[in-house]
Amino acid sequence: SIAFAQLGEELRRAGAYEEAVDVCQAGLARHAGYLSARVTLGRALIELARLDEAQAELAIVVQAAPDNLAAIRGLAEIHQRRGEM
């Protein structure tokens, strides 16, 4: 079921970033094309300062959906955190 994505997002919003990452990674193992779950995963990884992994996830989203604003914002945040203005 793709319900994992909603659970991952709720965990992320609650600040349970590690759990959100675990849920999203497990779900994406079965539903690799579910882009909103990749965005949630990327955003949780950003909060954990795992910027390289977050960038890889968000790049997949932008490649598949170039107009995905959440992924674009996530990538911008990564660049900002790295001081790459």
Side-chain angles (χ1 to χ4, degrees):
S1 167
I2 58 172
F4 77 92
Q6 183 63 32
L7 175 59
E9 180 62 18
E10 292 301 322
L11 288 166
R12 186 193 67 77
R13 287 182 185 171
Y17 305 119
E18 288 286 351
E19 290 178 57
V21 167
D22 292 343
V23 166
C24 288
Q25 287 177 333
L28 285 166
R30 300 194 94 195
H31 304 281
Y34 198 26
L35 297 180
S36 66
R38 288 199 183 276
V39 171
T40 296
L41 175 56
R43 292 171 71 186
L45 289 166
I46 289 170
E47 294 302 325
L48 294 170
R50 293 165 55 181
L51 301 182
D52 291 339
E53 293 170 80
Q55 184 172 3
E57 291 298 331
L58 295 171
I60 291 169
V61 176
V62 170
Q63 185 176 19
D67 58 341
N68 187 302
L69 292 178
I72 293 168
R73 284 187 189 120
L75 289 170
E77 184 175 346
I78 290 167
H79 289 293
Q80 182 180 14
R81 287 184 181 217
R82 288 179 174 157
E84 302 170 348
M85 301 306 252

